[in-house]
C-alpha cells in the first residue's frame, strides 16, 4: 500500500516536472536548480492533495453539524489565504531555499562524524517484514515531537508572541490550521524535518507522514460539533478535543489538549481536558485587535514586532 501511494506521488511529480517546470528552468537558464525544483514540485502536488482532501471531507461536515454559524467570513477568507500560501504558494519555496542547503550540510556533518540515523528497521530488524507498522511508528514519533513543539509554543514568551496569531481566530474552521506567522512556520519545518533526519525516516515516506499529520490538524480545527466518544477521544484528536485548546480560557500558558494526532501524550503528561459536551467560544482575549481582525500582512507585521519585543524581554 505504501509503495502504491509513493509511486503514484512520484509519477505525478515526474510528469509535472517534465511537462511544466523543466522547460521553464531550461528557458531561464536555471537548470542548476533542477534537483531543488523537482523536490519542490513534489511538495506542491502534496499540498494540492491536502487542500482537496481536507475540503472534500471537512466542508460537508461543517455544513451538516456546525458548532456556530459562519458569521465572520472575512476572517475565514484570511485563513484561506494562509492555507494557499502555506500549501501552494511562496512559503514552501522559501522553506526550500533556506533549508535545502542546510539539510545537505547537516547530513554531511553527520556522515563525517560516523552517525547513522537509527531507523526503526535497524533497531528492530523484525519490522522489515511489517512496512505499514513501521510507517505508523514513524508517525507516532513525529506526533510526539509535535506535541512538545506545541507545548513550547505556549510556554516560551517569544514563541507565544508568534503562535498567538493562530489562537486569535474567533471563527474557527478547517482553514484555521495554517493560520501561522511565517517565522513560526519556518521553525516548525525545521523542527519536524530535524526529527525526521535524526530518526532516519525514509525520504519517500516522509511526505505521506506529513500528509497524515496535516489532515488530522485540519480536521481538529474544523467547525464541527463532533466528539469521537469515550474511547475514540482517547485514541485520536477530535474537533471537540482541540476546540477546548482554542477556548478563550485556555490561551497562553494555561493551554490544554496540545496533541496533534494522538491524545495519549496529553494523558501521559497531565494536559488533557476530556469534557465531551463542551464546545467553547474560541479566541485569545489578550491578543491585539489586529490579530483577530487584520489580514495576512498585518498579522505578519504585528507578530514580528511582538516577537522582537519578547526576545528583548
Amino acid at each position: 500500500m505504501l509503495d502504491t501511494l509513493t509511486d503514484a506521488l512520484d509519477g505525478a511529480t515526474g510528469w509535472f516536472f517534465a511537462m511544466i517546470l523543466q522547460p521553464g528552468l531550461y528557458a531561464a537558464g536555471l537548470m542548476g536548480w533542477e534537483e531543488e525544483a523537482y523536490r519542490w514540485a513534489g511538495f506542491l502536488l502534496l499540498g494540492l492533495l491536502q487542500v482537496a482532501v481536507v475540503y472534500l471531507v471537512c466542508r460537508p461536515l461543517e455544513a451538516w453539524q456546525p458548532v456556530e454559524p459562519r458569521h465572520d467570513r472575512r476572517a475565514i477568507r484570511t485563513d484561506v489565504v494562509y492555507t494557499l500560501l502555506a500549501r501552494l504558494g511562496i512559503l514552501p519555496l522559501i522553506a526550500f531555499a533556506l533549508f535545502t542547503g542546510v539539510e545537505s550540510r547537516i547530513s554531511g556533518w553527520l556522515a563525517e562524524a560516523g552517525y547513522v540515523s537509527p531507523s526503526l528497521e535497524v533497531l528492530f530488524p523484525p519490522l522489515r517484514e511489517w512496512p505499514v507498522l513501521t510507517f505508523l511508528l514513524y508517525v507516532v514519533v513525529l506526533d510526539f515531537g509535535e506535541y512538545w513543539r506545541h507545548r513550547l509554543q505556549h510556554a516560551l514568551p517569544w514563541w507565544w508572541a508568534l503562535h498567538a496569531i493562530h489562537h486569535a481566530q474567533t471563527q474557527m474552521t478547517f482553514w484555521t490550521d495554517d493560520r501561522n506567522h511565517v517565522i513560526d512556520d519556518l521553525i516548525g519545518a525545521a523542527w519536524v524535518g530535524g526529527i525526521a533526519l535524526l530518526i532516519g525516516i525514509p525520504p519517500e515516506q516522509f511526505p505521506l507522514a506529513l500528509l497524515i499529520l496535516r489532515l488530522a490538524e485540519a480536521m481538529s480545527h474544523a467547525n464541527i460539533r463532533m466528539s469521537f466518544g469515550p474511547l475514540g477521544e482517547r485514541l485520536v484528536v477530535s474537533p471537540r478535543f482541540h476546540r477546548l485548546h482554542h477556548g478563550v480560557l485556555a490561551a497562553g500558558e494555561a493551554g490544554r489538549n496540545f496533541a496533534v494526532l494522538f491524545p495519549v501524550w496529553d494523558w501521559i503528561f497531565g494536559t488533557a481536558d476530556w469534557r465531551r459536551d463542551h464546545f467553547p467560544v474560541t479566541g485569545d482575549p489578550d491578543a491585539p485587535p489586529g490579530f483577530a481582525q487584520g489580514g495576512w500582512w498585518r498579522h505578519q507585521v504585528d507578530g514580528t514586532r511582538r516577537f522582537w519585543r519578547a526576545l528583548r524581554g
Side-chain angles (χ1 to χ4, degrees), residues 98-219:
L98 289 176
F99 291 125
T100 296
V102 174
E103 179 186 353
S104 299
R105 186 167 299 179
I106 292 175
S107 298
W109 288 340
L110 293 175
E112 290 176 4
Y115 177 82
V116 179
S117 299
S119 65
L120 293 178
E121 294 93 333
V122 173
L123 294 175
F124 306 100
L127 287 176
R128 293 171 181 168
E129 305 298 324
W130 303 89
V132 175
L133 176 60
T134 305
F135 172 74
L136 293 177
L137 290 175
Y138 280 128
V139 173
V140 170
V141 174
L142 289 178
D143 188 59
F144 180 67
E146 287 294 270
Y147 169 83
W148 282 105
R149 179 172 72 92
H150 199 177
R151 284 197 66 172
L152 290 174
Q153 285 176 312
H154 285 253
L156 301 178
W158 62 266
W159 212 341
W160 172 249
L162 301 171
H163 190 55
I165 294 173
H166 182 74
H167 275 264
Q169 178 60 284
T170 59
Q171 182 71 88
M172 279 235 312
T173 68
F174 61 90
W175 299 107
T176 305
D177 171 37
D178 291 306
R179 182 191 180 95
N180 301 302
H181 195 279
V182 172
I183 298 175
D184 201 359
D185 270 340
L186 293 177
I187 295 173
W191 181 284
V192 71
I195 293 175
L197 186 64
L198 288 174
I199 65 176
I201 297 179
E204 67 276 7
Q205 294 185 15
F206 184 53
L208 296 179
L210 286 183
L211 176 62
I212 290 175
L213 292 175
R214 295 299 171 256
L215 293 179
E217 286 188 291
M219 182 70 175

Side-chain angles (χ1 to χ4, degrees), residues 194-271:
I195 293 175
L197 186 64
L198 288 174
I199 65 176
I201 297 179
E204 67 276 7
Q205 294 185 15
F206 184 53
L208 296 179
L210 286 183
L211 176 62
I212 290 175
L213 292 175
R214 295 299 171 256
L215 293 179
E217 286 188 291
M219 182 70 175
S220 68
H221 287 85
N223 178 31
I224 306 172
R225 187 174 292 276
M226 179 181 292
S227 168
F228 293 163
L231 178 59
E233 290 274 291
R234 266 74 174 172
L235 299 177
V236 180
V237 170
S238 70
R240 182 218 60 82
F241 186 85
H242 194 69
R243 190 177 181 91
L244 285 167
H245 173 75
H246 276 265
V248 294
L249 299 179
E253 294 181 2
R256 309 285 287 177
N257 296 9
F258 295 101
V260 171
L261 181 56
F262 301 118
V264 65
W265 312 125
D266 284 298
W267 175 66
I268 292 174
F269 298 106
T271 55

